[in-house]
Amino acid sequence: MVRTAILVSGGGTNLQAILAAKLFGEIQNCDIVAVISSNQDAYALDRARAAGIDASVVDVTTFPTKRTFNTGLMQKLGDLDVELVVLAGFPQDLLQRPIIKEYENRIISVHPSLIPSFCGPDCQGAELYQAVIDHGIKVTGATVHFVTEELETAPIILQKAIDVLQDDTAKSLARRVMEQAEWEILPRAIDLFCRGKLRVEGRRVLIDEA
């Protein structure tokens, strides 16, 4: 069983999708040993406790610098003997080089666009979806990837595309990307990792479908 920590910071909808997939046997060989939040008020913590999973906080606001926050988070992961880290609504920009290197190709995250499109520093939250609409993009989606220092060059594990509808708003598009793409490919990527089906060669992630 792969010892896995889920990092969260907000409502925990992606966490709930992971927990549901695990409950229904869609994620195998995975032991979720902890849900760790950067925000002590995150509702995701309640979701974890309701599922009987250890829920703890490494509150970013209590650390004087991002570097000391990373030190505290890495200590927590080390104490838990974590083998896989999953970012589920946790801001990737909180992670710095030491922790990314320590868990190289062992940190999975999901981004709500088809990388490398719409993944710059200004492409976050509602602004990302509005940018997709304003550009007249016909297809968008989500990407699950291994975390590196640069999102644009991150090794891509899975992607799923959805159509952008003519009457979409940023809110409606965000909901469909989450429900139709993120909630499907993030649990699947975790399952593939935990079953030893992923191999990274440079920027390419090869999947053993056997």
Side-chain angles (χ1 to χ4, degrees):
M1 299 284 279
V2 177
R3 294 178 62 82
T4 303
I6 314 292
L7 305 192
V8 298
S9 65
T13 53
N14 278 339
L15 169 65
Q16 195 65 52
I18 294 167
L19 296 177
K22 191 170 187 303
L23 178 64
F24 288 105
E26 296 167 8
I27 299 176
Q28 300 177 31
N29 199 42
C30 176
D31 181 15
I32 301 177
V33 296
V35 169
I36 304 171
S37 177
S38 62
N39 169 18
Q40 63 180 351
D41 297 320
Y43 183 65
L45 294 168
D46 295 327
R47 294 181 190 267
R49 294 181 185 116
I53 297 171
D54 178 64
S56 58
V57 179
V58 181
D59 192 337
V60 67
T61 65
T62 64
F63 291 85
T65 64
K66 190 181 289 188
R67 180 182 63 81
T68 55
F69 167 76
N70 273 253
T71 299
L73 179 58
M74 191 147 56
Q75 180 65 55
K76 179 69 173 178
L77 295 172
D79 289 346
L80 292 168
D81 196 22
V82 166
E83 299 168 279
L84 172 65
V85 179
V86 178
L87 308 189
F90 182 95
Q92 182 177 325
D93 61 5
L94 285 180
L95 301 183
Q96 294 187 320
R97 178 176 294 181
I99 197 167
I100 291 173
K101 290 298 183 184
E102 177 69 21
Y103 291 92
E104 185 175 10
N105 296 333
R106 293 191 292 143
I107 306 176
I108 289 176
S109 186
V110 61
H111 183 73
S113 77
L114 299 175
I115 292 175
S117 297
F118 297 98
C119 56
D122 296 329
C123 289
Q124 299 181 23
E127 290 81 5
L128 184 155
Y129 304 104
Q130 192 60 54
V132 168
I133 293 169
D134 291 345
H135 278 75
I137 301 299
K138 304 303 182 185
V139 175
T140 187
T143 303
V144 178
H145 59 93
F146 286 115
V147 171
T148 56
E149 292 184 71
E150 299 295 332
L151 179 58
E152 293 87 344
T153 60
I156 294 169
I157 302 170
L158 295 170
Q159 291 184 304
K160 185 176 180 184
I162 67 165
D163 292 332
V164 181
L165 306 180
Q166 290 191 151
D167 60 350
D168 261 328
T169 63
K171 184 176 181 180
S172 67
L173 182 58
R175 187 72 187 178
R176 289 200 349 275
V177 168
M178 180 173 62
E179 292 179 349
Q180 297 178 20
E182 293 183 33
W183 291 357
E184 178 179 325
I185 63 175
L186 181 56
R188 182 171 174 232
I190 296 169
D191 174 66
L192 289 169
F193 181 97
C194 290
R195 290 192 295 118
K197 298 294 186 178
L198 302 179
R199 185 171 79 257
V200 181
E201 294 186 0
R203 287 175 55 181
R204 299 181 65 204
V205 179
L206 305 181
I207 300 174
D208 178 9
E209 299 285 7

